[in-house]
């Protein structure tokens, strides 16, 4: 029997999160709908995950090296074996199954999910890119255009994956219906499950000849151009979605592109939400004489700010409306330079006015 831990590349003491992460990574890599995918390996990966992600099944597997799908520890056979004499008069209509969420979720638990791997909701892989902008651009907004490499639609077959001139034929596995039925034996009995045909992926048709350029993938490696409108006040790390600009896939919708915005550190301003904080060095003499402090805002405008009488120099001086996109405020952190020495006249004046300091 296959080693499920080895299939997922895990140790036997792997956590639930490690199992989930390994499955997502491998399933994405070997999915049969992707170029270079492996259908048989994908099935084994899915089988391993269905066991190891289920607490009870994992305990059985760790103890016995297999999972018993039948009843009372017996593989196969009557699913109710070992429960003779038990009253199975259960009303499923409106029954409360607690965390199982109803009979639909019970089916999902036993059948490994409602959606088959070949269901109609196919699309290409999503992509993520990083776009760096300055703090000024984050405040004012910006339209960014860029070019990137990815899988694009094959021009020869127009993304179908097969030669349109040769056409298609009816799928022999499903008789052209696109659906197949399977029997699932569970502790609740035997159930018929209908799913998309794995041979034609639910289309009911099989291409007569694959595309000679993309080899059936419907996509080839190429370049794409995209643009994003970065709104004023965008946050650092914010993600912008560009629909259908990810990887292309045969006869399916392209994936999406996610652009992560990174705001580069500024040499003068520190951002705190919509507010900005800056440091300004001023002379002690300027404070004593009540001179205004001149600063340059993020937008490049020069303004003069007066330090109010009796102002606590340990606090930040607030300038309303000069924050990000004028939505926040600007706070000036004053760094007062004290004189190295003072003359006798100033010293005498300070001593005479001691009560006022």
């Amino acid at each position: 029997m296959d080693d499920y831990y080895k299939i997922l590349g895990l140790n036997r003491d792997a956590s639930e999160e490690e199992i989930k992460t390994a499955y997502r990574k491998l399933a994405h890599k070997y999915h049969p709908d992707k170029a270079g995918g492996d259908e048989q390996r994908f099935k084994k990966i899915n089988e391993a995950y269905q066991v190891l992600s289920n607490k009870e099944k994992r305990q059985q597997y760790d103890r016995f090296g297999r999972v018993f799908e039948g009843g009372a520890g017996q593989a196969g056979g009557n699913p109710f074996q070992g429960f003779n004499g038990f009253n199975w008069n259960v009303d499923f209509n409106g029954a409360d199954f607690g965390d199982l969420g109803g009979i639909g979720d019970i089916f999902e638990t036993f059948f490994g999910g409602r959606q088959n791997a070949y269901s109609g909701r196919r699309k290409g892989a999503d992509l993520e890119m990083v776009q760096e902008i300055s703090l000024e651009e984050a405040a004012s907004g910006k339209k960014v255009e860029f070019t990137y490499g990815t899988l694009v639609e094959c021009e020869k077959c127009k993304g179908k994956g097969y030669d349109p001139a040769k056409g298609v034929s009816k799928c022999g596995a499903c008789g052209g219906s696109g659906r197949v039925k399977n029997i699932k034996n569970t502790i609740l009995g035997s159930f018929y499950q209908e799913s998309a045909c794995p041979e034609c992926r639910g289309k009911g048709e099989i291409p007569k000849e694959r595309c000679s350029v993309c080899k059936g993938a419907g996509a080839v490696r190429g370049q794409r151009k995209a643009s994003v409108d970065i709104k004023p006040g965008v946050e650092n790390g914010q993600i912008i979605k560009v629909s259908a600009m990810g990887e292309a896939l045969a006869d399916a919708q392209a994936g999406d592109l996610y652009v992560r915005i990174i705001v580069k550190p500024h040499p003068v301003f520190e951002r705190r939400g919509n507010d900005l904080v800056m440091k300004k060095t001023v002379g002690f003499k300027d404070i004593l004489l009540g001179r205004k402090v001149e600063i340059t805002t993020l937008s490049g405008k020069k303004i003069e700010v007066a330090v109010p009488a009796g102002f606590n120099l340990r606090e930040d001086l607030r300038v309303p409306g000069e924050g990000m996109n004028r939505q926040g405020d600007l706070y000036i952190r004053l760094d007062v330079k004290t004189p190295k020495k003072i003359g006798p006249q100033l010293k005498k004046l300070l001593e005479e006015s001691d009560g006022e300091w």
Side-chain angles (χ1 to χ4, degrees), residues 125-129 148-151 245-247 255-259:
D126 295 335
L127 299 177
E128 181 177 349
M129 297 184 62
Y148 56 101
T150 184
L151 291 176
M245 290 300 289
E247 287 188 354
D256 300 322
L257 173 65
Y258 293 87
V259 182

Side-chain angles (χ1 to χ4, degrees), residues 199-221:
E199 294 297 324
C200 63
R201 297 192 175 100
K203 297 177 182 178
E205 299 175 333
I206 298 292
K208 291 183 178 180
E209 186 174 316
R210 291 194 304 173
C211 174
S212 60
V213 175
C214 66
K215 308 302 180 185
V220 293
R221 181 62 59 179

Side-chain angles (χ1 to χ4, degrees), residues 168-345:
V168 296
S169 59
K170 186 170 68 174
C171 176
C174 63
S177 67
R179 310 293 292 179
V180 293
K181 292 183 178 180
N182 300 298
I183 299 177
K184 293 287 184 178
N185 294 319
T186 75
I187 61 171
L188 298 179
S190 297
F191 296 92
Y192 283 95
Q193 181 189 26
E194 186 177 281
S195 60
C197 174
E199 294 297 324
C200 63
R201 297 192 175 100
K203 297 177 182 178
E205 299 175 333
I206 298 292
K208 291 183 178 180
E209 186 174 316
R210 291 194 304 173
C211 174
S212 60
V213 175
C214 66
K215 308 302 180 185
V220 293
R221 181 62 59 179
Q223 297 287 313
R224 262 192 174 163
K225 291 183 179 180
S227 64
V228 292
D229 287 316
I230 301 176
K231 303 299 182 184
V234 64
E235 295 284 349
N236 183 47
Q238 185 172 330
I239 296 176
I240 302 175
K241 177 183 176 181
V242 187
S243 299
M245 290 300 289
E247 287 188 354
L249 183 65
D251 202 18
Q253 179 184 346
D256 300 322
L257 173 65
Y258 293 87
V259 182
R260 185 182 299 274
I261 305 300
I262 300 298
V263 182
K264 293 182 288 188
H266 197 279
V268 176
F269 299 96
E270 176 187 349
R271 181 179 181 180
R272 295 181 180 175
N274 285 326
D275 295 332
L276 295 173
V277 180
M278 68 174 295
K279 185 177 180 181
K280 180 67 176 180
T281 301
V282 296
F284 188 66
K285 182 178 179 180
D286 296 329
I287 297 296
L288 291 177
L289 297 177
R291 293 174 178 170
K292 292 184 177 181
V293 179
E294 183 181 89
I295 63 166
T296 303
T297 66
L298 183 64
S299 62
K301 181 177 64 176
K302 293 185 181 295
I303 61 174
E304 291 185 338
V305 182
V307 180
F311 182 75
N312 186 352
L313 297 178
R314 294 181 180 179
E315 298 180 357
D316 296 335
L317 190 61
R318 176 173 171 263
V319 184
E322 289 296 339
M324 292 291 294
N325 192 32
R326 300 193 176 278
Q327 297 296 316
D329 301 325
L330 171 63
Y331 291 87
I332 305 172
R333 187 162 296 163
L334 298 175
D335 180 20
V336 182
K337 294 181 65 177
T338 57
K340 295 182 179 179
K341 61 180 181 178
I342 57 177
Q345 292 181 341

Side-chain angles (χ1 to χ4, degrees), residues 51 57 60 66-71 73-77 79 110 185-187:
V51 171
K57 290 183 179 180
Q60 287 186 21
R66 63 179 301 176
V67 176
F68 301 104
E69 298 293 348
Q74 299 295 324
F110 290 118
N185 294 319
T186 75
I187 61 171

